[in-house]
Amino acid sequence: MYARTRDMGLRITLPGPYRRRPTVGDMARGRLRRLDERELRPYRADDEPAVLALWARALPRWPVSAAAFRARACGAGQLVMVVSGALVGYISVARAETRAQLTVVLVDPACRRAGLASELLAQTRRNLGCDVRSLSAGSGVGRYFWPGVPEDAPDGWAFLQAHGFEPTGGVADLLADITRFRAPTWVLSRAGDGVRFELAAEGDASDVVALQERHFPDWKTAYEHQLTLPGTVLVARAGRQIVGTCTVEGPAEHDFLWPALVPGSVGAFGCVGVDPAARRHGIGLAMVARACELLSARGAEVCYCAYTHLKDWYGQLGFTRWRGYTTASAPLH
């Protein structure tokens, strides 16, 4: 049948079975009048397409692939919010012993300011139980999308502050053009002839892990995994002793999260650490320079350095700031 409207003339209204299903936009225009029909439940595997579509609406500046999403959400506690049959909210939280990280919380832009994110976070906190003492934002426990709250998400930061999160620092992701990269002579010479930079051999595994246990315990698990992937651990060797390590992954090995945002093939290094007794001799910077040479030889055009506050230090090798983040945490008890 037909109904006349004040500003558009005739509007066609189809009878019952031919009417289109309500959309998230319809609900927003109605100010979510049917909030009593919402359902907060655990995430299921068949929710993935709807969550990825929600991600695209909520975070268009951070396009993520299905494989990357799946890899980083696997093993985490995940909840979804469904309103009138439409999936409009999602949260993922990883846990390790007494710590947890809020990996991501999403609410459809058409449904914001209706308390959905608060409800997702409140239920997540209840699910963590009394043993978990702190909840970090972005990273801190498991695999992450961002090291903290992205600087281009002011609404997200305001939400977290309103729920007890306090800033703990600022970090950045860096990029450098490493096409045909060659380590500057002054960088290598400062480290001295007595230091060699080599890919870890099979017999180096125990020494690499022992270095992490002594000085970088948060990296121990990462290195145990990395050592199972040939050619992805670089060591600095002074005499027979391993005094520094970093990971090194070319385009074939590195699972870069944001290929739609960075043109060119991307390699990466990370977890750069030098024994405190061997510092102040340029070993760390020389090791990074050697990593960039290896990555360039493997076909990387861009080198990605994630989660650092040493922008100026890496800047000596041509790295510039790409994106910034605020790290934050909230006590739970």
Side-chain angles (χ1 to χ4, degrees):
M1 65 181 185
Y2 298 88
R4 186 172 297 276
T5 65
R6 184 184 311 169
D7 54 348
M8 297 181 62
L10 295 177
R11 179 179 73 241
I12 299 176
T13 304
L14 296 175
Y18 298 100
R19 291 179 183 169
R20 65 182 177 83
R21 297 180 63 185
T23 66
V24 170
D26 293 332
M27 290 189 293
R29 286 187 289 272
R31 301 298 298 169
L32 293 174
R33 287 189 298 266
R34 294 187 167 187
L35 277 176
D36 57 319
E37 296 183 10
R38 61 185 165 182
E39 177 188 11
L40 177 57
R41 61 166 174 79
Y43 171 87
R44 302 188 298 246
D46 60 359
D47 290 323
E48 182 179 289
V51 172
L52 289 172
L54 170 62
W55 182 297
R57 295 191 300 273
L59 297 171
R61 294 191 60 186
W62 296 90
V64 69
S65 70
F69 168 79
R70 199 175 304 127
R72 283 155 180 79
C74 181
Q78 302 172 81
L79 300 173
V80 297
M81 178 71 76
V82 179
V83 175
S84 297
L87 194 151
V88 299
Y90 168 82
I91 193 169
S92 174
V93 172
R95 174 181 174 176
E97 299 178 349
T98 61
R99 299 181 299 147
Q101 76 177 33
L102 173 58
T103 306
V104 64
V105 56
L106 304 172
V107 171
D108 194 290
C111 300
R112 288 177 183 163
R113 306 194 184 283
L116 303 186
S118 296
E119 193 168 339
L120 284 163
L121 182 58
Q123 184 59 52
T124 293
R125 282 173 154 163
R126 288 191 289 270
N127 290 350
L128 287 173
C130 60
D131 294 335
V132 176
R133 299 297 178 182
S134 67
L135 180 63
S136 59
S139 62
V141 173
R143 302 194 70 184
Y144 64 87
F145 293 101
W146 312 275
V149 184
E151 62 185 4
D152 62 354
D155 289 348
W157 177 234
F159 168 78
L160 292 176
Q161 283 187 303
H163 288 80
F165 284 80
E166 295 290 340
T168 56
V171 296
D173 290 346
L174 313 178
L175 295 177
D177 181 351
I178 58 167
T179 307
R180 297 181 293 277
F181 181 91
R182 292 292 179 270
T185 302
W186 70 268
V187 172
L188 297 180
S189 62
R190 182 168 174 245
D193 295 334
V195 180
R196 307 188 310 279
F197 302 99
E198 307 166 335
L199 291 173
E202 186 174 345
D204 291 327
S206 60
D207 289 341
V208 168
V209 172
L211 179 65
Q212 314 313 314
E213 288 177 331
R214 289 195 305 271
H215 304 297
F216 314 105
D218 288 345
W219 294 346
K220 178 187 174 185
T221 300
Y223 270 101
E224 287 175 337
H225 168 72
Q226 211 71 32
L227 286 163
T228 67
L229 308 174
T232 65
V233 174
L234 181 66
V235 302
R237 207 184 300 271
R240 295 184 179 181
Q241 184 181 3
I242 291 176
V243 296
T245 55
C246 77
T247 64
V248 54
E249 297 179 312
E253 301 96 21
H254 182 57
D255 178 24
F256 183 55
L257 253 174
W258 316 112
L261 302 178
V262 178
S265 56
V266 179
F269 65 84
C271 298
V272 179
V274 175
D275 189 312
R279 291 176 187 167
R280 310 238 177 239
H281 299 290
I283 292 174
L285 194 64
M287 182 167 57
V288 171
R290 179 57 183 146
C292 290
E293 286 186 332
L294 290 172
L295 294 174
S296 181
R298 294 181 190 180
E301 300 166 288
V302 178
C303 186
Y304 178 56
C305 172
Y307 202 159
T308 182
H309 61 277
L310 300 176
K311 178 177 69 72
D312 293 338
W313 189 73
Y314 288 112
Q316 298 175 89
L317 297 177
F319 284 85
T320 58
R321 188 176 187 271
W322 180 54
R323 297 281 174 92
Y325 313 87
T326 298
T327 56
S329 66
L332 292 185
H333 302 287

